[in-house]
Amino acid sequence: REQAVVPVVRLDGVTREEFLRDIYPRRKPVVLKGMELGTCTTKWTVDYLSQAEGSKEVKIHVSVVPQMDFLSKNFVYRTLPFDVFVRRAAEDKHKEYFLSEDEKYYLRSVGEDARKDIADIRKEFPVLAADVQIPEYFEKEQFFSSVFRISSAGLQLWTHYDVMDNFLIQITGKKRVVLYSPRDAPYLYLSGSKSEVLDVDNPDLEKYPLFVRAKRYQCLLEAGDVLFIPALWFHNVVSEEFGVAVNVFWKHLPAESYDKSDTYGNKDPTAASRAIQILDRALKTLEELPEEYRDFYARRMVLRIQEKAYRNDYG
């Protein structure tokens, strides 16, 4: 399989204007080092985190295996006081647990009403938010969400894409991130926005033979690093250590392009959803033809899509 290393840029030597002019338009992932992130990088110990927000209850994912799979739902949701959760997530073995003594924990913050409210660390965790300086590399009106994340060591999240640009700000701990270009979507065995290939390091190639064609990009985020993940880039994240991160998503398309009911930033743009619905109706219409004709006109449709919509300027 073809592999590449995600480039690293030192932001202490690159201005915001230079980033937006020279790096951002390339629409490729990049690790940013030297960003000013506030006091969180030094203050956020386990003790400080657990005391700062006290015993407010949080909803968490709990899994008995390190590789969490959103498609098969191999995890359960549980609720814990925040201070108890932080201490448990930082442990390797648990004296108190839900499923097993080596279960893994994952917090992905949500709004007060997850169906209606967008995650904003300033509202859900105001004490901790005061320690974080979110990089202002987009206009204030473009801001969509700031998602607070805490992961147990060894936890691996499923491969997926988001429809908005975002910064993954690694505040404590280390993460390994594997990414795939949007153009490699045909090789990732998608179910919605998620890949069925759970183990990207040792994939089942009998089940997923085309996966070998997907070019793998990889980086290791250390505390204080920021990863720019362009919209539609697939990413798979492993927490090498207990770690805390903040994801900041922003709207780089016109606001009306996005689904107004989307609180997670992962619903396809409204035009894309309409196009997929139209395609599904077209495919349903093809079923009226005999197999030989259905095959022929389906191939013509594919050629037309490639001719009208595919880009040919990928690097």
Side-chain angles (χ1 to χ4, degrees):
R1 283 176 286 162
E2 191 177 357
Q3 297 192 43
V5 177
V6 175
V8 175
V9 174
R10 293 209 65 89
L11 259 291
D12 44 11
V14 177
T15 65
R16 175 183 185 272
E17 290 70 27
E18 287 170 330
F19 172 79
L20 292 175
R21 184 191 68 212
D22 301 330
I23 299 170
Y24 182 69
R26 296 176 189 168
R27 312 299 301 157
K28 290 189 175 183
V30 62
V31 176
L32 308 171
K33 289 183 175 286
M35 263 192 178
E36 180 52 57
L37 301 176
T39 58
C40 55
T41 54
T42 54
K43 287 174 71 173
W44 283 11
T45 62
V46 171
D47 286 341
Y48 176 78
L49 288 167
S50 58
Q51 293 168 10
E53 296 287 350
S55 59
K56 63 185 289 179
E57 291 205 327
V58 289
K59 187 177 181 180
I60 57 173
H61 302 67
V62 183
S63 176
V64 294
V65 294
Q67 290 177 328
M68 288 179 57
D69 182 0
F70 193 82
L71 296 175
S72 70
K73 296 290 196 299
N74 65 347
F75 53 84
V76 296
Y77 293 104
R78 293 292 183 266
T79 302
L80 280 176
F82 182 73
D83 52 352
V84 174
F85 158 69
V86 169
R87 295 193 179 280
R88 278 211 211 171
E91 299 170 343
D92 290 326
K93 297 283 184 182
H94 314 294
K95 291 182 180 177
E96 296 183 41
Y97 50 85
F98 295 107
L99 305 172
S100 71
E101 64 176 7
D102 56 355
E103 63 192 15
K104 304 294 184 184
Y105 299 96
Y106 171 55
L107 167 69
R108 189 265 190 219
S109 68
V110 295
E112 188 172 342
D113 183 338
R115 293 169 298 176
K116 298 178 182 178
D117 300 325
I118 291 162
D120 187 340
I121 188 175
R122 295 168 297 188
K123 296 177 181 177
E124 289 102 45
F125 300 92
V127 177
L128 294 176
D131 299 334
V132 184
Q133 183 175 319
I134 291 176
E136 295 183 356
Y137 279 59
F138 48 89
E139 301 302 324
K140 282 184 168 57
E141 60 269 18
Q142 290 179 285
F143 172 84
F144 176 73
S145 66
S146 51
V147 181
F148 185 57
R149 302 181 189 271
I150 297 181
S151 303
S152 293
L155 184 79
Q156 183 172 17
L157 292 180
W158 53 89
T159 305
H160 68 283
Y161 71 85
D162 301 296
V163 300
M164 296 182 192
D165 289 345
N166 75 89
F167 282 144
L168 173 53
I169 304 167
Q170 190 64 26
I171 296 173
T172 72
K174 295 180 181 179
K175 275 194 176 81
R176 188 202 72 178
V177 186
V178 174
L179 304 107
Y180 300 95
S181 164
R183 68 172 175 172
D184 282 344
Y187 315 131
L188 297 180
Y189 297 86
L190 299 185
S191 178
S193 63
K194 301 160 187 69
S195 170
E196 294 179 11
V197 186
L198 199 60
D199 190 344
V200 296
D201 299 311
N202 298 288
D204 183 344
L205 295 181
E206 286 191 10
K207 191 173 182 181
Y208 308 114
L210 296 179
F211 186 69
V212 293
R213 299 189 187 179
K215 182 177 179 179
R216 172 187 176 119
Y217 294 78
Q218 182 170 309
C219 62
L220 180 66
L221 298 182
E222 299 181 332
D225 289 349
V226 177
L227 173 61
F228 168 54
I229 306 177
L232 308 183
W233 273 77
F234 297 87
H235 43 288
N236 179 288
V237 181
V238 177
S239 295
E240 302 278 357
E241 303 170 340
F242 165 78
V244 184
V246 176
N247 256 133
V248 182
F249 293 84
W250 66 91
K251 299 177 180 180
H252 68 291
L253 301 178
E256 61 272 16
S257 300
Y258 299 100
D259 187 324
K260 288 182 172 56
S261 68
D262 185 6
T263 58
Y264 284 84
N266 59 8
K267 286 190 177 181
D268 292 317
T270 52
S273 296
R274 290 200 310 272
I276 290 170
Q277 289 169 2
I278 292 167
L279 176 61
D280 285 341
R281 289 200 296 271
L283 293 171
K284 185 72 175 175
T285 304
L286 280 187
E287 291 179 9
E288 298 173 15
L289 294 168
E291 184 179 26
E292 180 183 359
Y293 284 79
R294 189 165 66 242
D295 179 273
F296 174 72
Y297 285 103
R299 292 176 189 275
R300 282 195 59 187
M301 287 168 65
V302 170
L303 290 171
R304 192 168 181 83
I305 290 171
Q306 289 176 335
E307 175 190 343
K308 295 290 185 181
Y310 273 30
R311 291 176 59 182
N312 57 12
D313 60 343
Y314 272 111

